[in-house]
């Protein structure tokens, strides 16, 4: 990557702005659905950046898994829980000011640190590594164990989710418990 | 013979144990046999021991009983030491003691604590013998404290009267003050002499190896002990109060024996005092002042026993005066004679009290001479003896003291003599005052009391007679000369022996003057004296108030100490500063706990903010200097 | 690496996986939800024994070089953590949890296994996630009241933040060193540049969050309180132990730079003080345990400051003792409505109703307070000796004094049990059944550790 | 300022915005989305470093992050549903029963 | 029976007894009491046997056992008798049966737990005295708090919770600092010798710089001083004493407080001799302040137990004074004073318990004239009082006399060198005997003398001492007089150890042959 302003830099700049704009929008948008859309915008911007960085596989995953699976699930939940209560009317928590102060500090310290921190290792540019084929080969060769473990993790997540969902069946127990506690 | 002294000491102890443990159950007879028999037996043993001593021509008899403690190179042994001095003391103690035990049978008859009384009395004898026979200061101290204990118990014998119990406590505490000095003196002596055995201490000091400063300090410290026990200024305050005990006790402990322990101590350690002229001077000064001041107080006391108590203090002052001018033998001589006449006086007073059913106020007596003649007779003899009328006992000893007060080459001084002589005059005055007010003149008794007046039983009167007899003859023993090998008399400053004769004549004149004065002032129930006092009302108040020493101690020592204990130690120190700060810390912990609980508010936003805060903090921290 | 070698080196993990699958299959086949206590117990026991045995044989291998390797310490850590899970399972049995509880527990243990063998940061991350994700569900599974879900949510959100922080740290490690191996992290530990320092501190902060160190502790009291007793027991003992032991492994031979040291010291001490003080006024037993665990996290992090060779021993021993005593206390809690048995009030006069439990809880409390002759003392001693060995004398002294603050809270429990009159009509019943079995089991272990600490230390 | 630095800065901002979003937004689902934003911030920096250093491990880690994010959300959403069922609101301020 | 195993048996007998206790049913308190009594009596017999077997004048430990415990750290189960702990072990064993006997009628609640705790306490106390390994010492030292905590907290008076927490937290605070010092020592041994060791004998040989010694001594001393207790760290004591049940007070006063002084004697001073010498003026000052302060406070209390509690502060001041005299007289005196105070204060607390059982009040104002209705009681009370104020022929005198003599003996040479302060302190300490008499006799007067106050007494329903109670007190009184009259045997057995103590703390003086 060069120092001069290249077309790449402009590209990165635009999508960075896009990503940031999405993130900032998430702050202010009232409706969760719109927040979700803003997040998706951010994610897509990032996907573009990944692609430009040559991480095509990752860019694809970003779109497929994140936007395709996670956010869809999220949007589903948002639609399911369309409650217009205080969480809707009042966007911000009582800690808005404190949070923003924290934001300033954190952004300051992180950005300052990241800007000043340069990788100590000499960059090795290997354009070919992250093509789909090569990456897959590397993955399957050296990192296959993570693939297996990912399967375990997802299985566990399924079990966990189903367990939590099952609890709803016990709503009656819960109501009884609450009554008893109120009697106390 | 081996074990003789041990036997002497143990006899009363056996009496104490038997009476103390079994007396209540086995009855009066048993108590009498044990409680009175054993002291007489002890007297017999004492006589035997004395004979043995004399057989050996006065060479000290040492009897080691056991080793109390060995610490490193130091050994503390329990050993008895009999020389002429301790023999005289032992004889006085057992002799007068045995008589008073006998007297007590009548006096204490029917008392609830009869067995207890004899047990205590025996205990006293035991400790007193320990005191006089102990070879080392340690054993002496054991006896010293022990007689204090016995005194405490006997003063508070009728413990249900809180005032009496309090008097016992006062005696004990005051003595303890002296004991503190005693201990320090003992430590100091030990540090230099490396031993506590008194004969060796004397040797060590006599060898002149010990600095004068140390000898002086040790002398003064030990003398502080003596002032406590012997009721000298400034620790004399307990003795008058000690009269709360049964009268025989006053006679034995607070007149004849225990209170003279201080005199004995100083005489015993004459080797130390010979090396410490300054300490000796102090003793003389304290002695004569005590003698004088006590005598002045005695002048206005109205309680028969209190008069005698102050008289005791005064006489002890005389003894210390003698000690202070180096006339140790003379002091012991006065101790000896005093033991008899003062015992006789007290027991006589006891007889009076007995006769009057407990009445002690001399203003409500009078005219008893005819009603209780035996008592009167013996009392009169003893009074004459203490007043110094020749040829009675007190005359000889007191005269010697006054003579050495001026003539001694070791501290004799005109003013000592003058004050001493004045005191002698006062002595005669207050003693005859007592005699007049109690026995002569017309009766001022309550009618109720008067009806019951009766002469005491023979166990009591016989003792009075014996003691009166000794009050007459005790002065004829040349005790100072007998003790001379042990306690050298100081050299006399005046070349012409005739001075002594003058002094004798003067002293007798003083005694007679006192007698006459008393006879004049206290005729007619003491009205002339009252009129006289009317004129010196302020002085009377001071004297009747005993110079307000008690009040002074109360305000200057006791109350401040209580105040400090209560306000400073307890309230300020313990409660406010120490516990207060601890409770403060506990409150701080509770406060922080509450603060932490508030932080844990349940709000997820807040929790996230805390995390955010933590992150920012650690990042800033680690990136601080890069 | 031969297939047998692969099998052997990761045998405990394989056994756990097998157990999960077995339960899952049984569950699918059976028509109604079943209790999976027995298979789960057998699985955990088998895994623990396997780890124990492999530790004994001195087996050491790297089946996935650069990612997953085992050595004596790793096996010891696994054996002790899996062993600690056994009483937790017993406790769960009394709660009548379903099979999914067992599966999730096993999965979490599996994550712990990975974490303790991780040679790469990827494995570390993965292990940590696998350890944590089931926990969110485990917390909510004891759903006796709405607060359980609240607890799970708080844990999940803060845990998610922790995950992100950890990832940021890993990312910076990558940037600083060009790799994602554990060795790279250790390189970063020595780095003086922004990326290295940021990487290290973020990773440590994430671990602190998982271990509940102030100020990253906020989830712990709520999560512990909301969870069921066995879940609390599991979180307070196994999870905390796994996190700390993983950190020890991650640090390896490396020391900490001064800045990091200061952070760890400051936050550990803060944690000890905060946890101990805040626990003073708690009225719920689990909440009290939570705050106490915050304080104990402080001690554990202090132990990390010691010289490299002493760290593992100190942390492992501490985890054993701390875990056992915690489990002992929780196992002895009286039975009854969940919220009721949790109240410290219900312990009042426990000695008169159930002397055995009261005494055992007292033992546990005193051990947690670090009072001899209970093993907690030896553990505390070891930790502070370790700290002192690395020259941080003042830190050790301050830490000890801070640990003093904790005594009161444990005494308070004892006071409730022994020094309050028994209630006339207690609403809770004495502990019994599987909880008692768990109590006896842990008691035996506590006695062993207490009387022969030398044996246990020799084993580590 | 190089491209890498630009992107790293953006990554830091996204991370920070994500964390602060959790603090300031009053909606459980929105807060969950901010968690995702944090992860995205991290992913960006990972991508930069991966690309810059040619480290495959980085890419694998990114892949794992996707998986974990999916798993996390799969557990989170049911929990939120459960909670809303009991409390009927998405305001986390209403879920402060555990405190002290 | 080999001699070493006798010592082990002595130590573990209470544990065995405790285990047997578990088997007894809660419903049979008589069995529980009987068993405890049996066990503790057996222990006393063993202790007496060991005492008789103990050879005087022999350097080093006797009846030693040393088994590795935590091998990696060099921690051993290492116990043994030497002159320093011999008498305290004997005292502990002696008080054990008396405590149990004293609790026969007063403890009716949770009898089994109570006796279990007493046995546990006995175990830990003996362990503390016997331990020759610092780690072991600390374990016992700290473990002892637990049974005491429960004894005060369960069977105590109205403010028992406050008192017991105060007791525990106070003492635990000191212990924490001591722990820090122990840890540091452990790690110093390792760096100096290369092998880890906690053997106290090894620790004596450590070479520590003076600043380090000062810091470590501070840690140790704080812990010990709290236990002693020395002013200003004493405020836990009155509360604990007042609220504790009789048995607790007896053990507390009888044995527990001695642990502090024993700690100084065995560890504090010999481990850090240079620091000890630096600290001597301070400790001496505090000792004397304790003597006077305790005496003052005892004077203004109206709670009988508080009076005795504060008197303990005063009496242990003497012990400390003796210990810092660093000569044979003082240290021997201190040891005797420890034993004496154990007997006397223990006895007084027992007696207060006896009267409390009868009249249910500890307020001095509620009493008076008991000598009239309870003659036997009064005699014993009087005897104990006399021992408390150090009347000759009682043990109190032996202790105080030797201590004061030792202190004076140590202070005089300094005075001759121009240092007045120690001498002034030693002299001030002598004042303590006056103040001691002041408060104790006040107690006696208010309690035994004067008019009858207690309603039970006026009703004439007051029983005098039972045979059991008389037996307890007679044993105590006999011991008190024995030590008062024949202390030499004790002194001979302890002398060698004390000489070594002196050589460690004050080698120069020891070399000069000044004992």
């Amino acid at each position: 990557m060069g120092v001069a302003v290249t077309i790449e830099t402009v590209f990165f700049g635009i999508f960075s702005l896009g990503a940031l704009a999405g993130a900032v929008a998430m702050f202010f948008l009232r409706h969760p659905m719109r927040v979700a859309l803003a997040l998706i915008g951010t994610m897509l911007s990032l996907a573009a950046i990944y692609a430009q960085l040559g991480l095509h596989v990752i860019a694809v995953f970003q779109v497929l898994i994140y936007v395709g699976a996670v956010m869809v699930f999220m949007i589903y939940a948002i639609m399911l829980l369309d409650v217009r209560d205080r969480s809707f009317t009042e966007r911000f928590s009582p800690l808005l000011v404190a949070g923003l102060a924290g934001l300033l500090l954190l952004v300051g310290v992180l950005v300052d640190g990241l800007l000043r921190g340069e990788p100590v290792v000499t960059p090795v540019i290997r354009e070919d590594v992250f093509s789909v084929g090569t990456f897959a080969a590397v993955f399957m060769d050296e990192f296959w164990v993570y693939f297996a473990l990912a399967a375990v993790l997802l299985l566990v997540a399924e079990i966990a989710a189903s367990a939590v969902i099952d609890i709803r069946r016990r709503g009656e127990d819960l109501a009884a418990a609450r009554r008893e506690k109120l009697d106390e | 013979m081996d074990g003789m002294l041990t036997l002497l000491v143990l006899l009363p102890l056996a009496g104490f144990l038997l009476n103390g443990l079994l007396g209540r159950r086995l009855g009066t007879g048993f108590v009498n046999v044990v409680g009175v028999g054993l002291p007489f037996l002890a007297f017999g043993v004492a006589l035997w021991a004395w004979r043995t001593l004399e057989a050996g021509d006065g060479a000290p008899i040492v009897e080691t009983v056991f080793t109390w403690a060995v610490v490193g190179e130091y050994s503390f042994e329990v050993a008895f030491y009999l020389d002429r001095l301790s023999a005289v003391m032992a004889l006085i103690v057992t002799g007068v003691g045995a008589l008073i035990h006998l007297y007590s049978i009548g006096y204490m008859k029917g008392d609830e604590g009869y067995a207890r009384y004899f047990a205590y009395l025996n205990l006293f004898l035991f400790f007193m013998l320990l005191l006089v026979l102990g070879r080392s200061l340690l054993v002496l101290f054991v006896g010293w404290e022990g007689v204090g204990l016995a005194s405490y118990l006997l003063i508070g014998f009728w413990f249900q009267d809180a005032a009496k119990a309090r008097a016992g406590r006062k005696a004990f505490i005051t003595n303890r003050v002296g004991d503190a000095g005693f201990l320090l003196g003992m430590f100091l002596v030990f540090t230099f002499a490396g031993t506590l055995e008194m004969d060796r201490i004397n040797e060590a000091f006599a060898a002149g190896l010990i600095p004068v400063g140390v000898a002086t300090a040790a002398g003064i410290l030990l003398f502080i002990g003596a002032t406590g026990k012997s009721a000298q200024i400034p620790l004399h305050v307990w003795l008058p109060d000690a009269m709360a005990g049964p009268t025989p006790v006053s006679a034995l402990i607070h007149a004849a024996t225990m209170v003279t322990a201080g005199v004995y101590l100083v005489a015993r350690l004459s080797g130390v005092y010979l090396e410490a002229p300054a300490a000796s001077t102090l003793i003389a000064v304290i002695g004569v002042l005590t003698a004088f001041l006590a005598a002045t107080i005695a002048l206005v006391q109205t309680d028969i026993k209190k008069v005698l108590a102050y008289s005791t203090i005064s006489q002890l002052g005389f003894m210390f005066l003698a000690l202070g001018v180096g006339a140790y033998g003379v002091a012991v001589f006065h101790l000896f004679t005093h033991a008899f006449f003062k015992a006789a006086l007290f027991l006589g007073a006891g007889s009076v009290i007995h006769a009057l059913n407990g009445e002690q106020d001399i203003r409500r007596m009078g005219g008893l001479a005819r009603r209780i003649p035996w008592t009167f007779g013996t009392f009169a003899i003893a009074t004459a003896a203490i007043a110094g009328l020749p040829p009675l006992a007190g005359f000889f000893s007191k005269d010697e003291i006054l003579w050495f007060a001026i003539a001694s080459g070791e501290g004799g001084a005109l003013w000592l003599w003058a004050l001493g002589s004045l005191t002698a005059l006062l002595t005669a005055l207050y003693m005859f005052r007592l005699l007049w007010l109690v026995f002569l003149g017309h009766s001022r008794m309550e009618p109720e009391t008067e009806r019951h007046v009766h002469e005491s039983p023979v166990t009591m009167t016989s003792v009075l007679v014996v003691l009166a007899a000794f009050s007459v003859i005790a002065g004829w023993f040349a005790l100072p000369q007998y003790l001379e090998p042990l306690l050298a008399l100081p050299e006399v400053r005046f070349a012409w022996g005739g001075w002594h004769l003058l002094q004798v004549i003067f002293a007798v004149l003083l005694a007679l003057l006192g007698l006459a004065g008393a006879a004049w002032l206290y005729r007619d129930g003491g009205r002339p004296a009252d009129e006289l006092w009317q004129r010196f009302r302020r002085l009377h108040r001071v004297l009747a108030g005993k110079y307000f020493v008690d009040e002074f101690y109360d305000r200057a020592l006791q109350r401040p100490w209580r105040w400090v204990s209560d306000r400073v130690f307890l309230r300020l120190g313990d409660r406010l500063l120490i516990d207060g700060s601890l409770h403060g810390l506990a409150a701080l912990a509770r406060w922080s706990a509450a603060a932490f609980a508030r932080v844990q508010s349940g709000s997820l936003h807040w929790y996230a903010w805390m995390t955010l805060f933590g992150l920012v903090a650690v990042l800033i921290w680690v990136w601080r200097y890069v | 690496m031969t297939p047998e070698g692969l099998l052997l080196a990761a045998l405990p993990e394989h056994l756990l996986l097998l157990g999960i699958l077995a339960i899952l299959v049984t569950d699918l086949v059976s028509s109604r939800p079943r209790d999976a206590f027995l298979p789960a117990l057998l699985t955990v026991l088998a895994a623990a024994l396997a780890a124990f045995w492999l530790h004994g044989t001195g087996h050491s291998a790297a089946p996935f070089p650069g990612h997953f390797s085992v050595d004596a310490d790793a096996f010891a850590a696994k054996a002790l953590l899996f062993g600690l899970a056994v009483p937790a399972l017993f406790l769960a049995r009394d709660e009548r949890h379903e099979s999914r509880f067992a599966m999730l527990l096993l999965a979490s243990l599996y994550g712990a296994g990975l974490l303790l063998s991780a040679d790469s940061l990827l494995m570390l991350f993965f292990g940590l996630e696998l350890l944590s994700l089931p926990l969110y569900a485990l917390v909510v599974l004891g759903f006796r009241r709405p607060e359980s879900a609240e607890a799970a949510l708080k844990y999940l959100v803060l845990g998610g933040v922790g995950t992100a922080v950890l990832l940021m740290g890993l990312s910076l490690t990558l940037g600083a060193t060009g790799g994602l191996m554990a060795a790279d992290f250790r390189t970063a530990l020595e780095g003086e540049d922004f990326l290295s320092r940021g990487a290290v501190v973020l990773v440590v902060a994430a671990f602190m969050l998982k271990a509940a160190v102030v100020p990253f502790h906020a989830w712990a009291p709520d999560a512990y309180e909301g969870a069921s007793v066995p879940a609390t027991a599991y979180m307070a003992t196994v999870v905390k132990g796994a996190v700390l032991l993983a950190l020890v492994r991650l640090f390896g031979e490396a020391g900490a730079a001064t800045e990091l040291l200061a952070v760890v010291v400051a936050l550990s001490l803060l944690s000890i003080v905060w946890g101990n003080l805040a626990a003073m006024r708690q009225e719920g037993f689990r909440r009290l345990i939570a705050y106490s665990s915050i304080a104990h996290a402080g001690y554990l992090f202090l132990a990390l400051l010691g010289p490299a060779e002493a760290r593992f021993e100190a942390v492992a021993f501490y985890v054993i003792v701390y875990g056992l005593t915690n489990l002992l206390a929780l196992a002895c809690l009286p039975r009854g409505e969940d919220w009721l048995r949790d109240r410290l009030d219900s312990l009042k006069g426990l000695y008169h109703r159930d002397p055995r439990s009261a005494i055992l809880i007292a033992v546990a409390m005193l051990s947690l307070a670090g009072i001899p002759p209970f093993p907690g003392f030896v553990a505390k001693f070891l930790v502070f000796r370790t700290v002192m060995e690395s020259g941080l004398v003042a830190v050790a002294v301050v830490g000890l004094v801070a640990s003093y603050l904790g005594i009161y809270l444990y005494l308070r429990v004892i006071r409730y049990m022994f020094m309050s009159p028994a209630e006339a009509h207690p609403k809770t019943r004495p502990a019994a059944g599987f909880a008692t079995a768990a109590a006896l089991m842990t008691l035996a272990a506590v006695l062993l550790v207490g009387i022969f600490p030398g044996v246990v230390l020799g084993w580590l | 300022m190089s491209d890498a630095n630009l992107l790293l800065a953006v990554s830091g901002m996204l991370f920070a915005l994500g964390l602060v979003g959790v603090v300031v937004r009053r909606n459980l689902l929105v807060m969950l989305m901010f968690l995702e934003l944090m992860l995205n911030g991290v992913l960006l920096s990972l991508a930069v470093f991966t690309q810059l250093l040619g480290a495959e491990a980085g890419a694998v880690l990114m892949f794992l992050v996707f998986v974990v994010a999916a798993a996390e959300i799969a557990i989170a959403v049911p929990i939120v549903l459960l909670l809303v069922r009991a409390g009927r609101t998405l305001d986390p301020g209403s879920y402060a029963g555990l405190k002290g | 029976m080999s001699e070493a195993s006798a010592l082990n048996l002595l130590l573990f007998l209470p544990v065995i007894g405790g285990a047997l206790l578990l088997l007894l049913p809660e419903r049979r308190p008589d069995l529980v009491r009987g068993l405890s009594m049996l066990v503790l009596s057996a222990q006393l017999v063993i202790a007496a046997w060991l005492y008789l077997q103990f050879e005087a004048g022999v350097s080093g430990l006797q009846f030693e056992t040393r088994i590795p415990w935590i091998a990696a750290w060099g921690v051993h189960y290492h116990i043994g008798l030497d002159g320093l702990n011999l008498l305290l072990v004997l005292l502990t064993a002696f008080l054990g049966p008396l405590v149990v006997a004293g609790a026969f009628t007063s403890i009716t609640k949770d009898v089994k737990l109570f006796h279990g705790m007493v046995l546990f306490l006995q175990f830990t106390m003996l362990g503390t005295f016997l331990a020759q390994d610092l780690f072991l010492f600390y374990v016992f030292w700290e473990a002892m708090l637990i049974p005491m905590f429960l004894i005060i907290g369960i069977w105590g008076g109205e403010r028992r919770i406050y008192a017991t927490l105060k007791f525990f937290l106070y003492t635990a605070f000191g212990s924490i600092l001591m722990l820090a010092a122990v840890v540091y020592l452990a790690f110093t041994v390792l760096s100096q010798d290369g092998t880890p060791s906690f053997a106290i004998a090894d620790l004596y040989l450590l070479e520590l710089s003076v600043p380090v010694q000062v810091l470590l001594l501070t840690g140790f001393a704080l812990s010990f001083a709290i236990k002693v207790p020395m002013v200003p760290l004493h405020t836990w004591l009155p509360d604990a004493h007042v609220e504790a049940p009789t048995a607790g007070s007896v053990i507390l006063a009888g044995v527990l407080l001695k642990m502090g002084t024993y700690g100084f004697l065995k560890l504090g001073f010999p481990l850090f001799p240079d620091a000890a010498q630096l600290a001597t003026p301070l400790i001496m000052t505090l000792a004397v302040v304790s003597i006077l302060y305790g005496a003052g406070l005892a004077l203004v209390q109206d709670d009988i137990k508080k009076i005795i509690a504060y008197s303990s502060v005063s009496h242990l001041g003497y012990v400390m004074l003796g210990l810092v005299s660093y000569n044979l007289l003082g240290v021997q005196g201190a040891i005797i004073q420890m034993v004496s105070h154990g007997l006397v204060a223990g006895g007084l607390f027992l007696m207060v318990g006896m009267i409390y059982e009868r009249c249910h009040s500890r307020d001095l104002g509620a009493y008076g004239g008991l000598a009239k209705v309870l003659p036997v009681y009064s005699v014993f009370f009087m005897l104990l009082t006399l021992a408390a104020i150090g009347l000759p022929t009682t043990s109190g005198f032996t202790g105080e006399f030797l201590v004061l003599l030792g202190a004076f003996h140590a202070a005089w040479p300094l005075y001759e060198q121009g240092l007045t302060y120690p001498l002034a302190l030693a002299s001030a300490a002598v004042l303590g005997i006056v103040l001691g008499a002041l408060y104790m006799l006040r107690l006696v007067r208010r309690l035994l003398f004067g008019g009858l106050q207690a309603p039970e007494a006026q009703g004439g329903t007051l029983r005098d001492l039972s045979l059991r109670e008389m037996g307890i007190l007679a044993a105590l009184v006999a011991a008190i007089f024995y030590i008062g009259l024949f202390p030499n045997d004790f002194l001979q057995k302890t002398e060698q150890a004390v000489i070594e103590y002196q050589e460690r703390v004050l080698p120069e003086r020891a070399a000069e042959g000044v004992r």
Side-chain angles (χ1 to χ4, degrees), chain B residues 68 70 112 159 176 574 579 583, chain E residues 162 234 310 372 450 484 488:
Chain B
W68 183 66
V70 177
E112 262 187 310
F159 55 82
R176 274 258 156 161
D574 262 31
D579 272 355
H583 293 161
Chain E
Y162 170 77
H234 64 285
Y310 279 118
K372 175 88 182 151
N488 202 26

Side-chain angles (χ1 to χ4, degrees), chain B residues 66 68-70 72 74 112 138 145 152 159-160 173 176 180 186-188 192 565 569-570 574 579 582-583, chain E residues 162 166 234-235 293 296 310 372 382 389 392 401 405 409 412 433 438 449-450 484-485 487-488 491-492 495:
Chain B
F66 65 95
W68 183 66
V70 177
Y74 306 116
E112 262 187 310
L138 187 66
E145 290 264 286
Y152 164 74
F159 55 82
Q160 282 186 286
I173 306 287
R176 274 258 156 161
M186 198 149 102
F187 298 157
L188 191 55
F192 279 87
S565 298
F569 291 173
L570 185 64
D574 262 31
D579 272 355
L582 293 177
H583 293 161
Chain E
Y162 170 77
K166 195 172 179 182
H234 64 285
T235 53
Y293 194 96
Y310 279 118
K372 175 88 182 151
M382 198 71 215
I389 60 183
F401 176 76
L405 185 56
H409 213 53
W412 189 264
I433 67 160
L438 206 59
F449 300 157
L485 291 170
N488 202 26
L491 294 173
Q492 293 318 301
E495 184 160 293

Side-chain angles (χ1 to χ4, degrees), chain B residues 24 66-74 76 78 112 126-127 130 138 141-143 145-146 149 152-153 156 159-163 165-166 168-169 172-173 176-181 183-184 186-192 196 214 217 221 558 561-563 565-566 568-575 578-579 582-583, chain E residues 162 166 170 232-235 238-239 292-293 295-297 299-301 306 310 328-329 332 369 371-372 375 382 386 389-393 397-398 400-402 404-405 408-409 412 416 426-427 430-431 433-435 437-438 441-442 444-445 448-452 483-488 491-492 495 513-515:
Chain B
R24 254 164 77 96
F66 65 95
T67 304
W68 183 66
V70 177
V71 180
E73 68 221 61
Y74 306 116
F76 301 93
V78 175
E112 262 187 310
F126 163 69
F127 279 123
L130 219 50
L138 187 66
F141 188 73
V142 173
E145 290 264 286
L149 166 69
Y152 164 74
L153 292 171
F159 55 82
Q160 282 186 286
D161 182 343
R166 215 174 282 134
R169 178 166 158 247
F172 198 95
I173 306 287
R176 274 258 156 161
V177 175
D179 294 350
L183 275 176
L184 279 174
M186 198 149 102
F187 298 157
L188 191 55
V189 168
F190 179 78
T191 303
F192 279 87
L196 285 175
V214 171
L221 287 168
Q558 201 174 342
W561 174 242
R562 277 195 74 95
W563 186 86
S565 298
D566 186 49
V568 180
F569 291 173
L570 185 64
R571 285 169 203 224
L572 177 70
D574 262 31
R575 292 202 187 139
I578 304 174
D579 272 355
L582 293 177
H583 293 161
Chain E
Y162 170 77
K166 195 172 179 182
Y170 231 115
L233 303 170
H234 64 285
T235 53
D239 285 313
L292 303 180
Y293 194 96
L297 281 169
L299 186 68
V300 291
Q301 298 300 330
K306 266 200 179 153
Y310 279 118
L328 249 55
L329 289 164
Q332 288 275 46
K372 175 88 182 151
M382 198 71 215
L386 296 177
I389 60 183
L391 206 80
T393 71
F397 173 72
T398 313
E400 281 178 21
F401 176 76
L402 291 177
L404 292 173
L405 185 56
F408 194 89
H409 213 53
W412 189 264
E416 288 188 332
S427 310
V430 176
L431 266 188
I433 67 160
V434 180
L435 302 174
L438 206 59
L441 293 185
R442 170 174 173 266
V444 167
R445 194 194 73 62
L448 304 183
F449 300 157
L452 276 178
I483 300 176
L485 291 170
F486 311 107
N488 202 26
L491 294 173
Q492 293 318 301
E495 184 160 293
V514 180
R515 295 295 185 204

Side-chain angles (χ1 to χ4, degrees), chain C residues 74 94 135 291:
Chain C
D94 270 353
L135 286 181
Y291 278 111

